[in-house]
Amino acid sequence: MTPVPLLPEIVVSDIVTDWLASSKYSNSLALADLEQTVLRGELDDSFLQSDAWMGFAERVHELWRRYDHVVLRGVPEVGDGASLLLVSLALSHRFKPYRKDKVVKHFRMSPWTTDLSHTLKEGHFHTDINTAPLPPVVTAIQCKVPDPGSPSQGELRVARLYELLAELRRRNASATLAFLQETDVSMVNETSPGGWMGCCIAEGRIRFHPETLRAGHRRFGKNPIDLEAHLQLIHDAALSVSTPIHLGAGEVLLVSNTRALHYRGACTVVFQSFPRAFTSREVYVLHMLDEPS
Ligand SMILES: [Fe+2]
C-alpha cells in the first residue's frame, strides 16, 4: 500500500533532473522553440514515455488529487523557464498562450511599481486571470531568484477552497459564505475593462481577486457595501488554513486555479546601486488549461 504523503512535495529524481537540464532545452533560444512546439501539440521527446517520467507524473497526479497543489523540489533553473514548462507537462500538455505563441512569463519584483504581479507589497489570496470567460485551471510558479529576505519575505501560501469554506463555517461567517456562494458580483481589471459578472464560487470552482472586486465596485457600484468586511474575513480564514511555502531557485509550485487561492507575502530588495541595480525575487509563471481528471 502506498504511504499517505504528509506534504504535497516531491523531490525530483536525478534522471528527471538530468533531462530537464539537458542542453536541448537549457538556453533561452530553445525556450521560444519549445513554447511553440508545445502549443502546437507537437512535442515529441521519448523521455516522456520513459518509466522515470511516467512514475514522476503518477506521483504528481496523486498529490494533485489529494491536495490541489504540489511543490517540486530539485528542479534545475535552466532555459529561462524551460524547465518550468517541461516539468508542468506532468499535469497537462495544454498551456495558455499569451502574445500568440508565448507561454512562460517572467516577473521581477520591483520597488518602482504598483503592478500587482511584481510590486513588493504583500499580495492577496486570489486566483489568476479571474475575469476571463474561462480562467486557466492550473497556475505554475518557478522560483528563479528567491527573495533576498527569504524565508521571512516573499513566502507563498495556498488556501484550498473546501478548507477555506469549512473555516468560514467554523467562524459562523454566514454572510461571507453567502457573499462567495450566492451573490452575483462584478470583477474588473485592465484585461477585462467591461468586467465579469457572476458568483465567485460556482460548480465547485472559485474565481476571486480582491482588487478586481474593488474595481468592479468602483465601476458599477453594485458589489455589497460590506465588501471590505467580507474580504478581510476571507483573508483571515485563508491565512489560518494555509502554511508558508518557500521555494529555492528552480523549485516549483503547481496550484489549482479553481479549487484553491494562492498568495505571495511582502518582498524586499537589496540595492547594489540605487536606484536601478538591485536583487529581488524573480519568478517564472505559466498557466494551464486542463488537469488530470
Ligand atoms: Fe497569482
Side-chain angles (χ1 to χ4, degrees), residues 52-104:
W53 177 261
M54 298 290 216
F56 165 65
E58 215 170 279
R59 288 170 64 213
V60 172
H61 290 198
E62 184 192 348
L63 294 193
W64 184 256
R65 278 191 286 269
R66 196 182 295 271
Y67 294 101
D68 297 322
H69 67 292
V70 184
V71 174
L72 303 174
R73 308 283 185 198
V75 179
E77 192 279 291
V78 292
D80 288 345
S83 60
L84 172 63
L85 199 161
L86 290 168
V87 87
S88 300
L89 293 167
L91 272 190
S92 167
H93 283 232
R94 288 187 60 223
F95 294 86
K96 183 179 189 324
Y98 70 98
R99 273 191 228 135
K100 204 171 109 197
D101 58 2
K102 302 291 292 169
V103 174
V104 179

Side-chain angles (χ1 to χ4, degrees), residues 17 39-40 49 51 58 69 121 132 141 165 181 192 216 274 279 285:
T17 301
L39 287 173
R40 288 196 305 267
Q49 313 302 326
D51 289 347
E58 215 170 279
H69 67 292
K121 277 172 55 180
I141 302 167
L165 295 178
Q181 296 175 298
S192 176
F274 190 88
T279 304
V285 176

